[in-house]
Amino acid sequence: MNFYFPSPTLFRASLRYMLRHPWQLAMSFLGIALGVAVVVAIDIASASADRAFALSAEQLSGRATHEIVADNGLDEQLYFALRRDFGLRNVAPILEGTITIPNTNVASIRLQVMGIDLLADGPFNRNTSSDGQRIDMQAMLTQAGSGLLSKTLADELAVKEGETIGVEIDGKATQLFVAGLLQSRDDASEQALKNFLMVDIATAQEWFQAEGRLSRIQLILPEDSSTETILTQIRALLPDNARIETLQSRNTALAQMTRAFRLNLTAMSLLALVVGSFIIFNAMTFSVLRRRALFGTLRALGNTRSEIGLLVLTEALVLGFTGAIAGWLLGLLISKGLLSLVTRTINDLYFVLEVQQLHIGWQQFFIALGLGIGASLVAAFFPALEATRTQARVAMLRIELEQRVKGWMKWLAIVGVIFMACAWLIVELPGQSLIIGFVGMFVFLLGYALLSPLLILKLCRVSQSSVKRIGGFTGNLAIRNVYTSFSRTGIAIIALMIAMATAVGVSVMISSFRVAVDQWLSYSLQADMYVTTVKGSINNKTPVIENKLATQVAAIQNVDVISRGQRIKLQQDGKDLNLLVLDVPERGFKGYQYKEGDTQSAWPVFESGQAVLISEPYAYRHNIKLGDILTLPGKNNDISFPVAGVYYDYSSERGIVVLSHKAFNAAGYDFQPTTLGVYINEGKPFNAVRTQLQQIIGNDNLLIRESKAIHEASLAVFDRTFTITQVLRLLTIIVAVVGVFSALMALHLERTKDFAVMRATGLTVAELRRIVLLESGIIGIISGVLAIPLGLLLARFLISEINQRSFGWSMAYHLDYSHIVLALLLAVGSALVAGIYPARKLASTLPAAALRND
Amino acid sequence: MNKRTIIAIGFIIVLVSVLVSVLIMLPENTPKQASQEFTLGEIFDDDAGGFSKATTIIPFSFPADHGPHPDFKNEWWYYTGNLKTLQGRKFGYQLTFFRLGLARHTEKRSSNWAADTLYMAHFALTDIQNGKFYSFERFARQAQDLSGAQSQPFKVWLEDWSTSSENASALPMKLFAKEDNVSIDLTLNYNKPPVLQGDQGLSQKSDRPGNASYYYSFPLMPTTGHVRIGEDAFEITGNSWMDREWSTSALEKNQAGWDWFALQLSDNRQLMFYQIRWDDGRIDPISEGTLVMANGSSQKILLKDITLKPLSYWQSPITDKRYPIKWQMQLPSRELDLIIEPKMLAQEMNLSVIYWEGAVKVQGSANGEAITGQGYIELSGY
Amino acid sequence: MTKKAVNNPTPLVTLRNIAKSYQEGVVSRNIFTDLSGQFNAGEITALLGRSGCGKSTLLNLISGIDLPDSGSIVVNNCALQDMNDTERTLFRRHHIGFVFQSFNLIPTLTVRENVILPLEMIGESEKNRLERVSSILEQVGLQDRADNFPEQLSGGEQQRVAIARAISHKPRLLLADEPTGNLDAATGAIIMTLLESLVRDNNITLIIVTHSDEVAAIADQRLQVAQGQLTQTI
């Protein structure tokens, strides 16, 4: 088949058409730009976080291949054993911590301190060369508090080599002597380096009061047949709590942790783009429908179908291209704001990561172009097809078109139902793939969108009489306008509906989640107070809650019972295995809420060390059920336990195995508790107990925290974590409002002449305005009403599929009616807001002018 | 062209220029040149800060002076030697421990890593038959038993490299160094009095008082032991030379480097001579040496007594540095005329500090009679 | 001129046994059942008949916009019913001009651009296009309005542009669907005079649908469309 490309004059006609309808142009442009912007911004923020992580990992690991780590840090003697006695050359000690540079121009800056032995560090080739700068080695080694800053940071702080600045370590003020500046190989690495302060290991030990301790030991081991032998020999030297792992697997594991979170963000951002595509779809359909007569003439003049189709697609292409570019630029702007939210969540949930540098690569530019153009072309495909169908016998009648649209509805609805069924089948597929979950969700959304025209029509029919009764003849006119010009209103309604449904779905999911976490906190924090060793401190000279201390605490007046716990990470099949070892009274054990099993049957076997509990994510990820046998790596031999219960837990995505200290001992390990739970007799006051407790522990390395405080702090973290989700939801709604606005503008402007006729035949300005606003309101209400079931279904989907697949967590569906009311209000509100301008504009148009203007 | 077209074109121009400017503003990832971390010179170069200087002649006392002198900033134990197996396979070695005092009288610190001294060690082995040269370097602070020096019993060590003795006399000395698959394990003997270099052990390095070191040598140490390269172990014998020097400031800023010769002649005499070169190529008149006689007595040699002439050069393919590698040394007053040439060309120490130090052989005449010899020369500052 | 055409009656358009019906909801309405007729080259034919009798449908069939259910339409020796949509479109592009009752100018193009469009479509060179446009605009008396947009013109002027557009690419056949229907009598007369002179000067065959006797008067033959048949009238 021959394709005839439209002639330049036709393009000119088309360009002028767009320019003559600037609102329509601007709205579709904005729609695609906003949709693309949200995706781009999220992608940039997410990629920046990822990149920052990779860079700092690369910066700080250098050529290291393996790392020895332990939960509570390592004794430095292990390093000497490896270096001096075992004779390993490429081994480096590392002690980490953080310091704060207070009151800089902007805000306090938190730096990650890396204490190393510069003299042993050479082979590691860390990205810390001093480019043309001199390092004051003498100061580094001999002067406490000397460190190396990145040149960028030094420039920002306006400090030079040889100067001293004030810093804070755990709130205590001290001095940092700048013994030299670090400069990196390239700008990106320089940015990663910016968060780091390199100090001598002696300084680090003194700063963090960790004399004799190390955080990690890094090694470069040859990659050959000897590696395994060396590893085995090294393992034999390691204490119980330490393990050696490859840096690659460690970094991959860390990066993997955030994968589900980042995928969730991407999916949310794609929703915004879906809504944006609806706007383009709407605008293109509209502009095609409006030009039916024109296309008819063109066909009569001898333009082929392909020329007309290409003309429309080219318009979409131009729109998509420019919208994508604008969206990309806008995305760059938004991403800065989103980045801090993304980073905060990663910090709260996963690991410490400072990201200051946006990583803007070509990737996002091409994503923007691809999505922008792709979405516009897809959205314009049907309008273009429709344009080619235009018969040369000068346009079908409007009413005929509307009839045809209605004829399709039945088929659309059938396809929609099939889609929804497919979505259900997709998520029922075995497997835990998160992407499959999202695919299912999008297919479901699409299905519902296809079904909704029929629903909208039915809704209009059903409500017509009541609207007529309430709104009089204007009401009647308004609702008739909505469904007789369905080809114009339908898409706007659907776009708004999807946005609102997303809002409802996400809100319900978050609130269900929050309720679940709240309840979980209440029952899992059974003790009234907890004494914990300072978390993450390698300076744990007393890493253990001593037996003596426990006995003393138990003896405090009004203390009913105490519990002791130890969290420990073991390695199983190369993966981390999180264990919680408990010496817990029955009162504390009752806190567990079971998905499978119950307290009565679990307690005796657990207490005696014959069985273990597993958390729900663990059960999900390992496909283990109540009663299954779980094999754990014992100190010498593997040891098996039956699973006495699967309990709800939201503290770990990877899952936890809980066992009693007796079972732990049976596996050959020493129970070294790091937390102590204090259960106070019912109704007795806390304060006296607390005071005595403080006297007993009297040690800086132990903290007393009340359950209530932990509970509140955890919920605060929860809320912070979901800020990013809320922001994304808001962005999607903004896109939808733009969509409704553009649809209403288009709709009303098209009918300027109709309205002029009505005005000429006696319709007042107020009535006209009322009709327009009523129409907007009706559109809003319909969207809202349709959004509610979809939103609730989405929430179910998010809870039972996406959350389960992402984190392995299940939770009860908690419906707060305020979400529904809010969604309705939001839908009507945004539709009304979108209707205000067209209403004013129409009301101020003089009927005579409108009539004259064809 | 009408107004609308102009607007459209304007729009496109704006768009394109925005795009182009964004492209231009994107940071380029050009790698910056990374440099060496630090150089020995930089550390040597520091001012005295609390250290004593070598200004006056002091009596040496042994074995105490085999141990460290922490009042002085820099100190080294310098061993070189020519070795061979029974079958005549030849090796050369160098093992040097440098002590670098960083500060004096530092405050007491709570971390055991805190140190005011660091050690650097260089280890080289020349496998003449295979034309292989191995060189290694280590650093460690004097803390946590990583490195250190003591006189009773004598021991200087950097991790598992060491020189030590089980006897109070510090003799015989044991040398051990191993890196990768190369190691030496040697026993060095000496039964003559130490040779005090310079003026009774005070060796002036420039005109300025205090720019001097205390310097003594064991110029001929019969050596036995083992050399290992990979799977092969060689039992060797040979002769070593130990130089001991400590100082706080030695070189002037405009002194570019030195050529140092330590030669063991077949007539049982040993000759040490160093010449210090200035930036402009002139030889510092303070350059001097010692001729140790067969009976152990020694004679001082001044620059005016000697003619040193480079005969040929070798350019390192790795560093591009050009070293005068073959020398003619004439001492007319002693009727000595020597040609010194390396046993192997590629004996460049490409470490934090780059210099050429290697085994040499000597041919020539003494009092008109043919003479041979071997030794080590060090060419620095090229 | 008229004589010449009568003396050598070469048929440009031949319709044989045309049947055409439209589906309207569930009812199908027959417009033609067995219509035949002939339009000679260089002649002006007036199509007369009541509203809804199928005059416009006939024009759509002749131009290849629409296809008959059965029968054959031969225009300029090409059988339209044997061509596919694109071929018919290209045929129309090259050989047929259209003048509508409601002008149907492209509102976003200037007068000149409207007239240029058909020339561009047939791939005329830029130089020829410009020459042709200025000559034709001069012929319709609108050379000074070339850069105006259609909405800036009066109805009569718009129809003159439409005529210029319809004959700019020198079609063999010009189809006019009540070209004076939207114009007052005086303007209508001027338009018809213009149309006739242009058609006759360029030897274009004109088929004109009209209700107006004055318009019909200039035609060489007058055909009545009634009961799905073409009949000669006086």
Side-chain angles (χ1 to χ4, degrees):
Chain A
M1 182 183 166
N2 282 327
F3 268 104
Y4 289 88
F5 206 69
S7 72
T9 307
L10 269 190
F11 280 124
R12 209 175 300 159
S14 153
L15 177 67
R16 289 201 193 121
Y17 176 83
M18 295 209 273
L19 292 177
R20 275 194 194 182
H21 299 85
W23 274 105
Q24 220 174 307
L25 180 67
M27 287 300 141
S28 16
F29 181 75
L30 203 59
I32 207 72
L34 279 175
V36 167
V38 175
V39 180
V40 165
I42 281 296
D43 197 68
I44 290 178
S46 165
S48 303
D50 197 32
R51 172 104 176 132
F53 173 74
L55 272 177
S56 56
E58 182 188 308
Q59 295 275 314
L60 301 176
S61 322
R63 288 174 48 216
T65 58
H66 289 74
E67 197 166 68
I68 298 171
V69 289
D71 296 329
N72 280 317
L74 299 159
D75 190 316
E76 67 185 13
Q77 292 309 322
L78 176 63
Y79 169 72
F80 301 123
L82 290 170
R83 190 175 191 89
R84 269 198 323 249
D85 309 335
F86 193 67
L88 280 177
R89 295 301 310 149
N90 297 326
V91 47
I94 290 174
L95 180 67
E96 287 170 317
T98 53
I99 63 161
T100 310
I101 302 178
N103 303 326
T104 58
N105 317 349
V106 216
S108 293
I109 297 176
R110 207 164 60 140
L111 291 183
Q112 215 170 326
V113 177
M114 185 149 166
I116 55 172
D117 181 3
L118 275 175
L119 299 173
D121 219 49
F124 286 81
N125 192 24
R126 286 176 221 284
N127 210 346
T128 55
S129 62
S130 57
D131 185 33
Q133 317 280 332
R134 262 198 54 180
I135 292 180
D136 187 345
M137 277 298 289
Q138 183 179 331
M140 280 301 284
L141 289 177
T142 62
Q143 192 175 325
S146 302
L148 309 174
L149 286 176
S150 83
K151 186 161 181 339
T152 316
L153 181 63
D155 287 347
E156 263 172 41
L157 296 170
V159 292
K160 288 194 203 53
E161 296 135 286
E163 291 181 357
T164 300
I165 53 174
V167 295
E168 278 176 14
I169 298 159
D170 292 337
K172 285 175 212 146
T174 184
Q175 303 276 307
L176 164 68
F177 174 78
V178 182
L181 301 180
L182 297 172
Q183 207 164 13
S184 195
R185 295 186 190 113
D186 56 65
D187 289 335
S189 312
E190 178 75 21
Q191 285 300 326
L193 205 57
K194 199 177 146 190
N195 307 311
F196 289 93
L197 175 67
M198 241 10 110
V199 299
D200 185 53
I201 193 130
T203 291
Q205 286 191 342
E206 287 159 2
W207 271 358
F208 306 116
Q209 299 177 0
E211 287 85 351
R213 309 283 303 169
L214 299 176
S215 309
R216 295 180 278 141
I217 295 173
Q218 289 191 334
L219 307 105
I220 306 173
L221 296 180
E223 278 178 55
D224 54 33
S225 49
S226 64
T227 318
E228 262 319 303
T229 324
I230 297 176
L231 279 177
T232 313
Q233 289 168 333
I234 292 175
R235 282 202 187 97
L237 296 172
L238 300 183
D240 274 358
N241 67 339
R243 58 196 181 275
I244 184 163
E245 45 197 36
T246 69
L247 265 166
Q248 203 189 355
S249 72
R250 202 175 111 88
N251 289 337
T252 314
L254 282 174
Q256 281 282 321
M257 282 168 78
T258 60
R259 191 177 153 267
F261 165 64
R262 290 189 286 122
L263 199 57
N264 268 299
L265 290 186
T266 305
M268 285 280 298
S269 68
L270 282 175
L271 271 179
L273 186 68
V274 167
V275 175
S277 310
F278 269 98
I279 299 178
I280 280 252
F281 182 41
N282 186 45
M284 291 308 299
T285 309
F286 186 76
S287 80
V288 165
L289 294 181
R290 263 199 96 162
R291 283 183 291 174
R292 294 178 69 80
L294 175 68
F295 292 145
T297 309
L298 290 176
R299 292 282 287 130
L301 290 179
N303 279 293
T304 61
R305 288 177 197 282
S306 61
E307 281 172 330
I308 306 276
L310 278 176
L311 189 68
V312 173
L313 282 183
T314 310
E315 288 173 11
L317 189 74
V318 171
L319 210 55
F321 181 77
T322 49
I325 303 278
W328 178 64
L329 291 172
L330 191 63
L332 297 187
L333 291 179
I334 309 176
S335 61
K336 186 86 188 167
L338 291 185
L339 179 62
S340 63
L341 293 176
V342 170
T343 315
R344 199 165 68 181
T345 305
I346 291 178
N347 274 314
D348 282 340
L349 292 187
Y350 304 101
F351 44 79
V352 178
L353 181 67
E354 286 285 320
V355 191
Q356 285 154 352
Q357 171 83 346
L358 281 178
H359 175 62
I360 299 164
W362 285 111
Q363 186 198 350
Q364 286 90 15
F365 181 72
F366 291 118
I367 286 177
L369 272 192
L371 288 179
I373 294 174
S376 342
L377 287 185
V378 167
F381 180 75
F382 286 101
L385 207 61
E386 177 62 30
T388 64
R389 287 226 188 88
T390 310
Q391 287 295 327
R393 57 190 176 94
V394 189
M396 212 186 314
L397 294 171
R398 250 303 284 284
I399 196 73
E400 246 178 277
L401 169 81
E402 295 300 343
Q403 302 245 297
R404 209 165 96 204
V405 168
K406 274 159 205 158
W408 290 344
M409 283 183 185
K410 202 167 66 192
W411 294 108
L412 286 180
I414 291 169
V415 174
V417 171
I418 293 172
F419 268 52
M420 287 159 79
C422 283
W424 183 76
L425 284 176
I426 287 172
V427 299
E428 287 299 315
L429 284 176
Q432 304 182 353
S433 160
L434 183 52
I435 293 185
I436 293 284
F438 279 120
V439 168
M441 197 177 91
F442 277 102
V443 171
F444 184 84
L445 259 182
L446 195 61
Y448 193 90
L450 290 174
L451 173 65
S452 47
L454 195 67
L455 296 179
I456 295 169
L457 206 66
K458 296 269 181 250
L459 217 55
C460 286
R461 294 253 168 81
V462 169
S463 56
Q464 189 170 4
S465 59
S466 44
V467 174
K468 191 174 171 183
R469 212 176 309 127
I470 300 161
F473 87 98
T474 48
N476 190 29
L477 264 180
I479 195 157
R480 279 177 54 89
N481 278 340
V482 171
Y483 78 80
T484 54
S485 20
F486 186 77
S487 66
R488 274 78 161 157
T489 52
I491 300 155
I493 294 175
I494 295 171
L496 187 60
M497 172 197 83
I498 288 182
M500 292 308 140
T502 312
V504 171
V506 172
S507 304
V508 171
M509 184 272 284
I510 293 178
S511 75
S512 301
F513 202 171
R514 198 177 191 281
V515 166
V517 168
D518 194 11
Q519 285 170 355
W520 167 73
L521 284 168
S522 321
Y523 62 68
S524 63
L525 297 168
Q526 283 281 305
D528 298 298
M529 279 177 216
Y530 288 89
V531 178
T532 56
T533 54
V534 178
K535 197 188 161 205
S537 166
I538 28 82
N539 165 33
N540 266 327
K541 286 172 189 150
T542 51
V544 193
I545 306 267
E546 308 276 353
N547 281 337
K548 198 180 112 204
L549 182 81
T551 320
Q552 281 177 320
V553 173
I556 297 175
Q557 196 187 3
N558 286 334
V559 167
D560 178 12
V561 279
I562 58 163
S563 64
R564 292 184 301 160
Q566 176 188 9
R567 278 181 189 274
I568 185 165
K569 232 181 232 174
L570 297 180
Q571 295 279 114
Q572 189 168 35
D573 306 329
K575 286 183 181 156
D576 284 350
L577 168 67
N578 290 306
L579 289 189
L580 174 61
V581 189
L582 289 179
D583 170 14
V584 68
E586 193 171 0
R587 179 176 162 187
F589 190 78
K590 279 179 182 158
Y592 287 103
Q593 300 285 306
Y594 295 92
K595 191 178 185 200
E596 297 170 31
D598 58 78
T599 309
Q600 276 163 347
S601 51
W603 168 243
V605 280
F606 176 85
E607 201 274 334
S608 59
Q610 291 161 351
V612 297
L613 302 184
I614 58 176
S615 74
E616 186 196 7
Y618 192 90
Y620 179 74
R621 300 215 184 272
H622 296 86
N623 206 9
I624 295 175
K625 294 185 298 293
L626 175 72
D628 286 358
I629 302 295
L630 186 68
T631 303
L632 299 176
K635 175 136 189 183
N636 303 312
N637 305 310
D638 283 357
I639 180 164
S640 297
F641 296 100
V643 173
V646 177
Y647 70 100
Y648 289 104
D649 177 271
Y650 301 106
S651 66
S652 162
E653 294 168 23
R654 313 244 127 213
I656 300 176
V657 175
V658 185
L659 67 170
S660 82
H661 66 292
K662 289 172 189 164
F664 193 54
N665 288 336
Y669 299 100
D670 285 339
F671 179 47
Q672 298 181 319
T674 51
T675 59
L676 179 75
V678 182
Y679 298 74
I680 297 172
N681 282 322
E682 293 288 338
K684 298 294 179 192
F686 279 32
N687 286 345
V689 176
R690 196 189 164 111
T691 316
Q692 283 195 56
L693 197 56
Q694 189 68 61
Q695 280 168 359
I696 289 171
I697 65 171
N699 183 327
D700 283 346
N701 291 320
L702 294 178
L703 276 182
I704 303 175
R705 302 184 72 192
E706 285 183 22
S707 299
K708 218 175 99 193
I710 299 177
H711 191 140
E712 279 163 12
S714 305
L715 280 183
V717 168
F718 179 91
D719 291 339
R720 231 169 36 223
T721 306
F722 277 98
T723 318
I724 176 80
T725 317
Q726 309 269 20
V727 168
L728 274 180
R729 191 180 57 167
L730 193 69
L731 285 173
T732 309
I733 291 175
I734 290 175
V735 178
V737 172
V738 169
V740 180
F741 184 74
S742 85
L744 284 175
M745 278 299 291
L747 180 65
H748 295 317
L749 293 181
E750 188 197 35
R751 289 184 322 189
T752 308
K753 199 167 171 183
D754 299 351
F755 283 127
V757 174
M758 286 190 216
R759 288 269 287 117
T761 52
L763 194 74
T764 67
V765 171
E767 281 164 341
L768 177 62
R769 199 177 288 145
R770 234 177 106 192
I771 290 176
V772 174
L773 286 178
L774 265 172
E775 271 184 43
S776 305
I778 290 166
I779 286 176
I781 289 172
I782 295 174
S783 311
V785 167
L786 285 181
I788 290 165
L790 177 60
L792 298 182
L793 286 168
L794 273 184
R796 273 203 188 282
F797 217 94
L798 287 170
I799 290 171
S800 63
E801 294 298 331
I802 303 300
N803 258 316
Q804 182 89 47
R805 287 167 191 254
S806 302
F807 310 110
W809 295 328
S810 71
M811 58 202 72
Y813 187 78
H814 173 84
L815 183 56
D816 187 343
Y817 289 97
S818 68
H819 297 315
I820 290 175
V821 176
L822 201 69
L824 266 179
L825 286 179
L826 210 58
V828 176
S830 43
L832 283 179
V833 166
I836 288 172
Y837 179 79
R840 286 176 58 112
K841 176 131 201 248
L842 278 177
S844 65
T845 309
L846 292 171
L851 279 174
R852 209 172 36 243
N853 190 350
D854 189 17
Chain B
M1 234 173 28
N2 59 26
K3 209 166 138 195
R4 285 204 160 85
T5 322
I6 295 169
I7 292 172
I9 291 171
F11 178 71
I12 291 164
I13 290 172
V14 168
L15 190 76
V16 169
S17 45
V18 165
L19 266 177
V20 169
S21 52
V22 167
L23 291 189
I24 291 169
M25 285 188 302
L26 285 174
E28 269 187 71
N29 283 355
T30 44
K32 291 170 190 160
Q33 199 66 43
S35 67
Q36 285 280 337
E37 280 210 332
F38 53 90
T39 66
L40 188 60
E42 283 174 350
I43 301 168
F44 275 139
D45 195 51
D46 265 311
D47 68 330
F51 290 101
S52 311
K53 290 194 175 191
T55 46
T56 54
I57 293 167
I58 49 157
F60 289 170
S61 132
F62 298 102
D65 275 324
H66 291 320
H69 300 82
D71 285 345
F72 295 84
K73 201 164 159 51
N74 310 315
E75 179 162 17
W76 55 73
W77 293 257
Y78 216 121
Y79 299 87
T80 54
N82 284 277
L83 312 169
K84 63 179 179 194
T85 62
L86 275 175
Q87 290 74 30
R89 182 165 170 181
K90 290 173 177 148
F91 297 98
Y93 82 92
Q94 183 217 155
L95 178 64
T96 312
F97 295 90
F98 299 89
R99 183 183 62 78
L100 312 168
L102 297 173
R104 285 300 280 160
H105 315 302
T106 50
E107 59 190 296
K108 175 86 186 120
R109 293 175 58 183
S110 60
S111 171
N112 289 332
W113 286 86
D116 55 11
T117 302
L118 72 87
Y119 279 79
M120 173 175 80
H122 288 179
F123 165 40
L125 186 72
T126 311
D127 177 356
I128 292 155
Q129 179 175 313
N130 284 340
K132 284 261 170 73
F133 181 71
Y134 306 93
S135 64
F136 307 102
E137 175 181 52
R138 281 187 185 182
F139 290 94
R141 66 187 73 202
Q142 181 182 298
Q144 304 274 27
D145 213 20
L146 290 168
S147 67
Q150 63 191 38
S151 63
Q152 280 306 327
F154 171 64
K155 187 177 183 189
V156 183
W157 74 98
L158 200 166
E159 289 159 4
D160 60 350
W161 295 359
S162 64
T163 168
S164 61
S165 177
E166 291 162 6
N167 302 324
S169 63
L171 286 165
M173 290 176 176
K174 301 248 182 215
L175 261 57
F176 178 80
K178 176 178 189 296
E179 183 116 357
D180 294 351
N181 285 321
V182 177
S183 72
I184 54 168
D185 188 356
L186 308 173
T187 304
L188 282 62
N189 234 318
Y190 190 71
N191 46 24
K192 292 180 189 167
V195 174
L196 306 186
Q197 307 281 15
D199 188 1
Q200 299 170 57
L202 179 68
S203 169
Q204 206 65 35
K205 305 296 188 197
S206 83
D207 283 341
R208 191 193 300 250
N211 274 5
S213 66
Y214 294 110
Y215 186 178
Y216 69 86
S217 307
F218 286 0
L220 188 70
M221 301 181 82
T223 303
T224 56
H226 291 91
V227 166
R228 285 182 186 81
I229 299 172
E231 303 291 304
D232 303 321
F234 305 96
E235 190 175 348
I236 52 81
T237 57
N239 283 302
S240 299
W241 179 306
M242 178 187 84
D243 268 335
R244 284 276 291 121
E245 223 169 329
W246 60 94
S247 64
T248 290
S249 57
L251 294 187
E252 286 287 332
K253 293 253 184 263
N254 53 357
Q255 290 176 320
W258 61 82
D259 307 311
W260 174 86
F261 301 81
L263 309 175
Q264 298 161 334
L265 302 175
S266 54
D267 60 3
N268 249 343
R269 289 190 293 174
Q270 295 92 38
L271 174 63
M272 187 284 288
F273 189 84
Y274 62 83
Q275 63 172 10
I276 295 173
R277 302 187 313 277
W278 292 81
D279 287 345
D280 55 10
R282 281 188 301 120
I283 305 298
D284 195 306
I286 210 100
S287 303
E288 60 176 17
T290 309
L291 182 63
V292 183
M293 308 312 282
N295 64 5
S297 67
S298 53
Q299 301 172 0
K300 189 165 177 171
I301 294 168
L302 300 176
L303 183 62
K304 64 176 169 57
D305 302 330
I306 201 164
T307 320
L308 254 178
K309 203 164 66 185
L311 296 179
S312 71
Y313 290 84
W314 173 75
Q315 185 155 19
S316 160
I318 300 161
T319 62
D320 275 348
K321 288 178 190 289
R322 191 164 167 268
Y323 299 98
I325 211 71
K326 187 176 180 186
W327 297 79
Q328 179 169 36
M329 182 188 273
Q330 292 170 305
L331 284 96
S333 57
R334 269 87 177 176
E335 291 191 49
L336 263 177
D337 189 345
L338 306 173
I339 301 291
I340 302 156
E341 60 182 322
K343 291 183 171 176
M344 199 177 96
L345 288 171
Q347 300 189 74
E348 184 187 42
M349 304 288 284
N350 185 12
L351 303 170
S352 311
V353 188
I354 300 166
Y355 58 102
W356 194 99
E357 166 130 17
V360 292
K361 58 185 175 200
V362 183
Q363 280 179 311
S365 61
N367 302 313
E369 286 180 33
I371 192 173
T372 60
Q374 57 187 357
Y376 255 75
I377 66 174
E378 179 183 309
L379 311 165
S380 84
Y382 286 96
Chain C
M1 286 251 208
T2 318
K3 284 233 156 52
K4 188 184 159 198
V6 172
N7 290 344
N8 300 306
T10 327
L12 184 75
V13 179
T14 309
L15 308 173
R16 271 195 209 101
N17 313 107
I18 301 295
K20 179 72 188 170
S21 61
Y22 280 117
Q23 200 73 25
E24 282 177 354
V26 283
V27 201
S28 107
R29 191 163 73 91
N30 290 326
I31 307 208
F32 309 125
T33 46
D34 186 20
L35 178 141
S36 296
Q38 184 170 313
F39 303 87
N40 290 331
E43 283 187 0
I44 296 177
T45 305
L47 281 182
L48 305 162
R50 286 200 211 110
S51 295
C53 67
K55 299 188 296 286
S56 299
T57 305
L58 198 54
L59 285 194
N60 284 341
L61 290 173
I62 292 170
S63 64
I65 286 172
D66 218 340
L67 276 182
D69 300 339
S70 66
S72 81
I73 303 170
V74 177
V75 181
N76 198 22
N77 299 321
C78 297
L80 293 186
Q81 74 279 359
D82 296 338
M83 297 158 86
N84 67 22
D85 182 73
T86 307
E87 286 164 347
R88 278 182 278 126
T89 306
L90 293 178
F91 179 81
R92 188 157 68 236
R93 171 185 289 193
H94 285 95
H95 302 300
I96 297 177
F98 243 111
V99 177
F100 304 93
Q101 179 179 1
S102 52
F103 326 136
N104 284 342
L105 295 176
I106 295 166
T108 51
L109 293 181
T110 63
V111 167
R112 188 199 310 279
E113 289 164 347
N114 264 289
V115 180
I116 267 184
L117 190 58
L119 293 168
E120 254 180 17
M121 290 197 296
I122 63 168
E124 198 63 72
S125 76
E126 170 123 26
K127 184 167 157 282
N128 290 350
R129 284 201 301 247
L130 292 177
E131 277 173 15
R132 177 78 185 142
V133 168
S134 32
S135 105
I136 204 143
L137 284 179
E138 203 178 311
Q139 287 179 49
V140 298
L142 287 173
Q143 59 272 44
D144 52 336
R145 309 300 300 269
D147 291 321
N148 286 66
F149 281 93
E151 62 192 24
Q152 295 165 313
L153 306 179
S154 71
E157 287 171 327
Q158 287 194 39
Q159 195 59 302
R160 279 194 273 163
V161 176
I163 290 168
R165 180 177 69 180
I167 63 167
S168 64
H169 58 302
K170 299 185 180 163
R172 297 292 311 271
L173 177 63
L174 180 61
L175 303 174
D177 193 351
E178 297 195 45
T180 58
N182 275 9
L183 303 170
D184 62 79
T187 314
I190 295 168
I191 289 294
M192 277 319 296
T193 314
L194 177 68
L195 194 58
E196 189 189 359
S197 75
L198 283 172
V199 166
R200 298 223 185 267
D201 288 355
N202 292 295
N203 195 24
I204 294 170
T205 309
L206 171 66
I207 302 173
I208 183 165
V209 169
T210 186
H211 287 119
S212 151
D213 291 342
E214 288 108 78
V215 173
I218 63 158
D220 299 316
Q221 73 168 341
R222 279 160 290 278
L223 296 178
Q224 184 82 34
V225 185
Q227 282 91 45
Q229 295 293 325
L230 274 180
T231 43
Q232 292 269 357
T233 59
I234 313 303

